[in-house]
Amino acid sequence: MRLTFGVLQGHVFETESNCVAFLVNLDKHKTSNIQFGEASFQLAPKSISILSSCRRVVFETAKVNAQHGLRTAQVVQSLNNVDSWKIFKEPIPLAINNTTHIGHRFFEHLSTTKDETDYLWYLTRYDYRSNGDTQLVLNVESQAHVLHAYINNDYVGSVHGSHDGPRNIILKTPITLRKGQNSISLLSVMVGSPDSGAYMERRIFGVRKVSIQQGDHKSHSLNNELWKHQVNPDWLIWRNE
């Protein structure tokens, strides 16, 4: 049974032996009195009172104390002193290094690392036949989160993805090659792995396309070159002491 008196409401649920009533005050600011049965009840603003046997208040929402968090602040320790930092870096691998992951294609990142690390090197060698002072550009398309590129052990560029951006990340960076054999080392980085979504089994990650552009000439694809892949558990470690 429902009783309505403006902003005041009463909801009664009754059987032969039991009776429960809910008295509701919908007013957001005013405390109101209501006569229910043989007794009068005071209802706090925006509250519900529950009556056992339709006579005795056993619960009032206005008297519930919600838990709240306590914010505290602490002084932040500055770590800007360069003397307190040290860097430990592994050597950049070359395509001539021994590795078991070899093929004329790019190996998929996650299936190659087997979740042992976020880092996978893609390594190859490029025979450059000098053609004057033509500008050279390295183009790399990847479906990883981060990519670092090195030519003959020299860093040439990086690219980072974003949460809202496309899955592909593209690196276009000018490079310098020496005449003859050159080592190309690409470090693919995954910042965690996806764990939800449709068609998970069809998703691929890692380097997808690599080419070198010489001036206005057609770019030379390296996709089918002999690529070696090296799994690195911890390529770069920063430590503060």
Side-chain angles (χ1 to χ4, degrees), residues 120-131:
L120 177 64
W121 285 99
Y122 291 79
L123 313 167
T124 193
R125 296 183 70 80
Y126 176 64
D127 188 10
Y128 175 60
R129 299 178 182 180
S130 178
N131 186 18

Side-chain angles (χ1 to χ4, degrees), residues 2-23:
R2 177 179 177 180
L3 305 174
T4 303
F5 309 96
V7 295
L8 304 179
Q9 294 181 358
H11 301 267
V12 180
F13 301 88
E14 190 173 10
T15 66
E16 294 181 356
S17 58
N18 294 301
C19 180
V20 176
F22 295 81
L23 303 182

Side-chain angles (χ1 to χ4, degrees), residues 8-196:
L8 304 179
Q9 294 181 358
H11 301 267
V12 180
F13 301 88
E14 190 173 10
T15 66
E16 294 181 356
S17 58
N18 294 301
C19 180
V20 176
F22 295 81
L23 303 182
V24 182
N25 182 6
L26 298 177
D27 194 298
K28 296 181 179 180
H29 307 290
K30 182 180 178 181
T31 298
S32 299
N33 295 317
I34 184 173
Q35 184 71 31
F36 182 77
E38 299 178 356
S40 178
F41 299 92
Q42 189 177 70
L43 304 181
K46 201 67 177 178
S47 69
I48 301 174
S49 296
I50 302 177
L51 278 61
S52 175
S53 301
C54 291
R55 294 191 302 270
R56 180 172 57 87
V57 176
V58 294
F59 182 81
E60 293 181 69
T61 58
K63 295 183 179 180
V64 175
N65 293 321
Q67 294 183 349
H68 63 279
L70 179 63
R71 295 184 178 182
T72 59
Q74 296 180 350
V75 178
V76 177
Q77 180 183 1
S78 175
L79 301 176
N80 294 335
N81 185 0
V82 295
D83 294 332
S84 65
W85 287 92
K86 293 183 179 180
I87 182 172
F88 300 87
K89 183 167 58 176
E90 296 182 7
I92 299 171
L94 305 175
I96 58 176
N97 291 355
N98 294 328
T99 180
T100 56
H101 307 286
I102 304 174
H104 289 275
R105 61 184 178 89
F106 301 116
F107 283 30
E108 198 277 329
H109 187 122
L110 297 184
S111 61
T112 303
T113 59
K114 300 186 185 302
D115 206 26
E116 294 178 355
T117 174
D118 290 331
Y119 304 98
L120 177 64
W121 285 99
Y122 291 79
L123 313 167
T124 193
R125 296 183 70 80
Y126 176 64
D127 188 10
Y128 175 60
R129 299 178 182 180
S130 178
N131 186 18
D133 297 328
T134 304
Q135 176 65 61
L136 300 175
V137 176
L138 175 67
N139 301 305
V140 183
E141 182 177 323
S142 176
Q143 291 187 359
H145 297 139
V146 183
L147 180 80
H148 303 294
Y150 301 83
I151 302 292
N152 299 321
N153 278 5
D154 293 328
Y155 171 79
V156 295
S158 296
V159 61
H160 294 71
S162 66
H163 182 274
D164 299 323
R167 286 185 57 191
N168 284 11
I169 56 175
I170 297 176
L171 172 69
K172 292 181 178 291
T173 183
I175 59 173
T176 300
L177 298 178
R178 61 196 180 201
K179 188 175 182 180
Q181 293 292 324
N182 292 264
S183 175
I184 300 176
S185 305
L186 306 175
L187 181 62
S188 175
V189 184
M190 292 293 294
V191 186
S193 303
D195 59 1
S196 62

